[in-house]
Amino acid sequence: MKFVTRLLIGTAFGMVLAGSANAAGLTVGFSQIGSESGWRAAETSVTKQQAEKRGIDLKFADAQQKQENQIKAIRGFIAQGVDAILVAPVVATGWEAVLGEAKDADIPVILLDRGIDGSPDLYMTMVASDQVLEGKVAGEWLVKDIGDKPCNVVELQGTTGSSPAINRKKGFEEAIAGASNVKITRSQTGDFTRAKGKEVMEGFLKAENGGKNICALYAHNDDMAVGAIQAIKEAGLKPGTDIKVVSIDAVPDIFKAMADGEANATVELTPNMAGPAFDALEAFKKDGTVPAKQIITESKLYTPADDPMKVYEEKKGLGY
Ligand code: AHR
């Protein structure tokens, strides 16, 4: 993934509701991946709120985790002649043809939260986190927390072939590369879901002496971590103590787990991708302003030192 220009935006709860009315009258198609995680549900509701606030007619299509459904939806949006298309690409590859069709139809495409392997000419901008950095922040936290102790890590990866699964793995591996005491001993996809996270963790625990050989879990999202926490408890171990838990997203449930001493760290991913996307679209429609190729959202680390119950209360009404 090449990023020609980058712009960093902050994460603020206030931003979720911020917006202007200048995009009123636009029709925007949104091809969403599905509802695999709490974070995804929040992104969907924030996008709908943002559209409503700005007077945008949002055509929403849920792809139920299938790229073929996303391609079909995008073709439908092109046929309807929408003013712009938002797409959260389930996997990184296979977008050239359909995004080429949108380009030929002069419909600007904005990628939300995930990148693609393909020419940056296929989209106007991408609103997403630096996913390699997210993995790095998680890995650096673990290396620091563990100190010199030997630590076997099990990893729950996101959806195979998705940009966050690829990049969060890379960032974490880079962060632990200099710590010879920290090693990933098992790594498997949990598909970004709670149920799969639990199931795969059960397998890890069985294969690793009931969990006695596992020092830490790194999950590419909080939902898989929450599922895994349940598996760890059912195996008779204490998540957060016997097995450290570090993950990504900062959904309300992980803060509850932190408050209960069952999770140790999370890296925040704002669900407000639509706000910056609509701002960019609005400026483009107004006077042709071309946005930066990537609008980067913040990746903030939270630990139990950050008053997890307070953050839980702040976040729980945001659509997660
Ligand atoms: O692309 C962002 C990731 O997708 C989130 O971290 C995960 O929860 C979601 O399913």
Side-chain angles (χ1 to χ4, degrees):
M1 209 185 309
K2 277 188 202 136
F3 306 132
V4 179
T5 345
R6 296 176 156 218
L7 176 71
L8 180 68
I9 59 161
T11 302
F13 297 129
M15 278 174 44
V16 170
L17 295 175
S20 83
N22 295 347
L26 294 180
T27 299
V28 176
F30 177 25
S31 169
Q32 177 58 294
I33 292 169
S35 50
E36 71 281 2
S37 65
W39 183 88
R40 181 72 51 203
E43 186 195 46
T44 296
S45 22
V46 170
T47 305
K48 288 179 177 171
Q49 284 168 29
Q50 282 283 344
E52 200 184 330
K53 186 175 171 59
R54 294 165 191 255
I56 292 172
D57 178 13
L58 190 76
K59 308 277 179 207
F60 180 78
D62 178 338
Q64 308 201 332
Q65 310 298 316
K66 292 200 173 82
Q67 185 180 34
E68 68 207 63
N69 291 344
Q70 292 203 283
I71 291 173
K72 220 183 278 170
I74 293 168
R75 293 210 164 111
F77 295 146
I78 297 170
Q80 287 171 55
V82 296
D83 296 301
I85 295 172
L86 305 181
V87 53
V90 61
V91 290
T93 55
W95 297 100
E96 281 81 0
V98 72
L99 296 190
E101 289 163 34
K103 192 176 162 65
D104 291 346
D106 278 333
I107 299 175
V109 169
I110 302 182
L111 305 183
L112 290 194
D113 73 85
R114 294 188 184 183
I116 59 165
D117 285 342
S119 167
D121 292 346
L122 292 170
Y123 54 93
M124 182 169 79
T125 186
M126 164 167 78
V127 184
S129 55
D130 179 338
Q131 296 161 344
V132 175
L133 177 67
E134 289 171 329
K136 256 193 195 153
V137 171
E140 281 166 2
W141 172 83
L142 183 67
V143 167
K144 198 163 165 220
D145 186 76
I146 285 301
D148 294 337
K149 282 180 276 168
C151 186
N152 289 345
V153 182
V154 295
E155 178 183 33
L156 286 169
Q157 296 181 37
T159 303
T160 304
S162 68
S163 71
I166 297 163
N167 293 325
R168 289 172 184 173
K169 180 167 187 50
K170 184 171 183 269
F172 188 86
E173 285 174 351
E174 282 175 17
I176 65 167
S180 55
N181 56 319
V182 182
K183 283 192 176 61
I184 298 176
T185 49
R186 295 196 180 261
S187 182
Q188 211 177 302
T189 182
D191 237 346
F192 281 130
T193 70
R194 234 171 245 221
K196 198 78 197 294
K198 179 168 188 275
E199 185 191 313
V200 175
M201 189 68 198
E202 284 165 353
F204 287 162
L205 289 160
K206 266 190 206 125
E208 294 293 347
N209 193 19
K212 291 187 189 72
N213 298 343
I214 303 173
C215 147
L217 161 72
Y218 166 48
H220 291 189
N221 82 347
D222 291 341
D223 277 72
M224 293 189 293
V226 169
I229 286 170
Q230 189 56 34
I232 296 168
K233 290 203 276 193
E234 287 172 15
L237 297 174
K238 281 191 181 147
T241 308
D242 296 329
I243 298 180
K244 301 268 180 183
V245 177
V246 54
S247 50
I248 294 167
D249 273 359
V251 304
D253 283 353
I254 208 72
F255 289 98
K256 227 161 183 227
M258 260 188 217
D260 293 341
E262 295 178 345
N264 307 88
T266 186
V267 184
E268 185 174 39
L269 176 66
T270 177
N272 183 22
M273 301 282 159
F278 289 147
D279 287 345
L281 179 64
E282 197 175 275
F284 177 71
K285 291 285 179 189
K286 193 170 154 216
D287 57 14
T289 303
V290 178
K293 211 59 191 176
Q294 189 186 7
I295 299 170
I296 304 179
T297 62
E298 198 185 347
S299 301
K300 184 178 167 193
L301 178 75
Y302 282 90
T303 69
D306 296 303
D307 195 350
M309 271 327 277
K310 184 169 171 263
V311 187
Y312 172 79
E313 291 298 331
E314 286 167 350
K315 285 192 169 232
K316 72 173 188 205
L318 293 176
Y320 288 95

